[in-house]
Amino acid sequence: MDPAPDETAVQVRAATRADLEAIAALDTGARAAHHHARFPGTPFDAPAEHLRCHRAWSHALHREDTPVLCAVRHGTVLGAAAYRGRHTRATVKLDQLHVDPAHWGTGVGRALHTACLHAWRSAGFARAVLDVRWHNHRARGFYAGLGWRPDRRPAPDATHLTLRLDLAPGAPPTPGSPPAAR
């Protein structure tokens, strides 16, 4: 008898337009949690932020050059990621990776990251880059634990840090990923 599939496992799949509202809501929730952790007691305009997130994800979902993935458990979207290749096919940029705060630390972000790595390596990208806010220590720790390192290039502004991950064959494996086949 085959073992039953793990019903608690996160499934990562291509996002569809039907996922837009759930993705915008979890992104807004993640941004609100980060804002309230950094600025306790200050207001956060959730309706305006939700509209901004909705527009950004709608734009991403309609672009053919921006794959959007979502992490789902029991039919509920718990996280999303979007990325695109740069003007050179050597570099891919992780534009967004967000997880519903109620599911932080449960493997949802790692599952999305692993799916992105697989897609990037399959497409032949040699490196990945992303921008993270300087003060977002939680996200910086998450990416550092997955092998991302500060890039030598200047960040887009003084509030961000650009991180880089080598994807080329022979690059050190990403922590937590299965060893490469020999």
Side-chain angles (χ1 to χ4, degrees), residues 20-42:
L20 175 58
E21 192 58 40
I23 292 171
L26 72 87
D27 186 353
T28 303
R31 290 174 190 276
H34 173 70
H35 176 82
H36 291 305
R38 185 155 187 248
F39 305 107
T42 60

Side-chain angles (χ1 to χ4, degrees), residues 59-71:
H59 181 70
L61 284 165
H62 285 85
R63 289 181 62 127
E64 290 188 26
D65 67 341
T66 305
V68 178
L69 303 176
C70 63

Side-chain angles (χ1 to χ4, degrees), residues 5 19 29 39 55 64 75 82 105 115 130-132 137 146 159 164 175 179:
D19 299 315
F39 305 107
R55 286 179 179 156
E64 290 188 26
L130 65 84
D131 296 318
V132 63
H137 298 288
L146 294 170
T159 65
R164 172 189 176 133

Side-chain angles (χ1 to χ4, degrees), residues 123-165:
F125 290 109
R127 76 188 130 296
V129 296
L130 65 84
D131 296 318
V132 63
R133 292 188 185 272
W134 273 102
H135 58 265
N136 192 341
H137 298 288
R138 180 182 191 89
R140 288 175 59 184
F142 171 76
Y143 291 118
L146 294 170
W148 293 79
R149 299 293 173 254
D151 196 6
R152 291 185 206 108
R153 297 175 307 115
D157 58 45
T159 65
H160 289 80
L161 173 66
T162 299
L163 302 178
R164 172 189 176 133
L165 182 67

Side-chain angles (χ1 to χ4, degrees), residues 121 169-170 173 177-182:
R121 287 181 172 137
S177 65
R182 295 185 182 238

